[in-house]
Amino acid sequence: MNKIFKYTGIALLGMLAFTACSPDDYAGPNGDRVPVAADYADNVIINVVQEENTAYFTFKSAKGVSPVWIIDGSQYSGDFTAKKYQRKAGDYTVELKVKNANGISDDALTFSYHIDKTRMNGFGGFDVDSPYNLFKGATVTQVAGFYAPGWEPIADPTVIHGAGNDFTVQLPVATTDRWQAQVPFETNISTTAAEGVTYDFSCILTSNKDFNVMVKFTNPNDDNDFYFAEEQAVKAGEPICFYMTEMPSRNIENLKLFFDFGGCPDATEVSVENLVFIEHSKNDIVAPEKGDPEPVWREAENLWDTANPQLASCYYAPGWAQIADPTVVVDGGTISISLPSATFERWQAQVPFTTDLGISDTNQEYDFLAVVESNATFKAMFKLTQDGDDNNFLFAKEQELKEGAETRFFVTKCKLGNPAEKMKLFFDFGGNPNNTEIKITKIILQTHKE
């Protein structure tokens, strides 16, 4: 089926080239005049925007010739500028053929490009580039581990080191139990116990097989003295963030980082990226509460795109005395809200949006995401309810917004109690300080899928 698609795509591109010629300058295809891709290597510009994880492929104009981009071996484009988003860090290639009225080149040029960082659909961990990240500039050294399928030791797994402290572990032989595939690293990171000081940790794990990974950050001289020892389920091909927050500080010198891949299938490969260990008070990123993992967001199926949200009458009442509504500006998918006066209780700063969205199936589960930026730290309330019945809601949940940080508010597997013809979305910022500025940059509502 893929081959049929490829050849059909090329044929269509060729037909487009033929029809672009006029009867005066085109007398029919000439096989001797089919272009050679190698002659146009200098016409190619590849620009990778790392902040977007996107590569842009540009073919500079050449008389009578146009490009055929072959992206990831299966996607075809005849545009002079094409692009490709790559979610995972790594090396990628794009091929180029060229065509004219006589046909498509037999040869192809291959160009390589690199993506620096893996992008997450959900929470992506803490800022690996923060100056307060204790792994930034730290020495992380692989030491002898324990690889023992069936408890019979064999040679250690292969560890391939990448940029910074990133690495990939290759485990050729399956294991069945925890601790049968230990890969430890010594570090020069040390901490001192201090009242009120806590730490956050995160990393991104990507596996080519489904199983559970154990992550442990411990005293090198006492395995029972650790910051954490937790399992994380990984799914084949899906980057996932392992994180811990607000762990009380401990007196430990030269912390040791363990990854145990016991339970791995044959030919398992796991990459570990973006190691972060940071004092919580210096961390600008708020992690979601532990519980259900953040879903994979299917933006192409975003029900909010069809909701037609309209700003309704607000309720802004510091001290329960109502004042003028806050300023709300909707620009495309971004909502900006200005709250000049402080409030001190829930429901004193309500910003509601009516929608055309109805929910009739009360057995259907839903996921919801709102990405929120705030210039102040306080707790906000998010509520999606039936328009006209505040007691029939899909969710009603508080979450702390943190000054200068991006907060990912999400709920998953929510059900509505009764059918609703139209839904209403409330943001309540009761408890906000003076001169609070809120920006909501993304909203997604989707049916839940396991």
Side-chain angles (χ1 to χ4, degrees), residues 241-362:
C241 180
F242 171 88
Y243 67 96
M244 303 292 296
T245 61
E246 297 188 74
M247 300 173 289
S249 59
R250 310 176 70 87
N251 284 318
I252 302 177
E253 292 187 1
N254 301 321
L255 277 149
K256 195 170 188 177
L257 180 63
F258 275 92
F259 291 89
D260 178 63
F261 303 105
C264 64
D266 283 327
T268 292
E269 188 169 290
V270 182
S271 67
V272 180
E273 302 171 81
N274 294 10
L275 285 165
V276 179
F277 187 56
I278 187 170
E279 191 175 323
H280 182 74
S281 64
K282 298 175 180 177
N283 189 358
D284 290 332
I285 297 177
V286 178
E289 294 179 9
K290 288 280 189 175
D292 289 321
E294 185 166 346
V296 173
W297 299 105
R298 310 184 309 276
E299 296 196 40
E301 302 173 30
N302 185 6
L303 299 174
W304 194 253
D305 289 342
T306 63
N308 189 29
Q310 300 292 323
L311 180 65
S313 296
C314 299
Y315 180 74
Y316 191 21
W320 298 114
Q322 191 164 2
I323 60 175
D325 284 351
T327 300
V328 180
V329 176
V330 180
D331 182 10
T334 300
I335 303 170
S336 300
I337 302 167
S338 298
L339 299 152
S341 300
T343 56
F344 63 91
E345 286 193 61
R346 178 61 58 232
W347 305 123
Q348 286 187 350
Q350 301 177 39
V351 181
F353 289 83
T354 59
T355 76
D356 294 334
L357 182 68
I359 295 178
S360 58
D361 184 357
T362 57

Side-chain angles (χ1 to χ4, degrees), residues 77-98:
S77 174
D79 295 332
F80 278 83
T81 297
K83 66 180 180 179
K84 177 61 179 178
Y85 170 80
Q86 301 285 6
R87 190 152 71 91
K88 285 194 61 183
D91 294 306
Y92 297 90
T93 59
V94 61
E95 292 181 83
L96 174 75
K97 288 177 175 281
V98 293

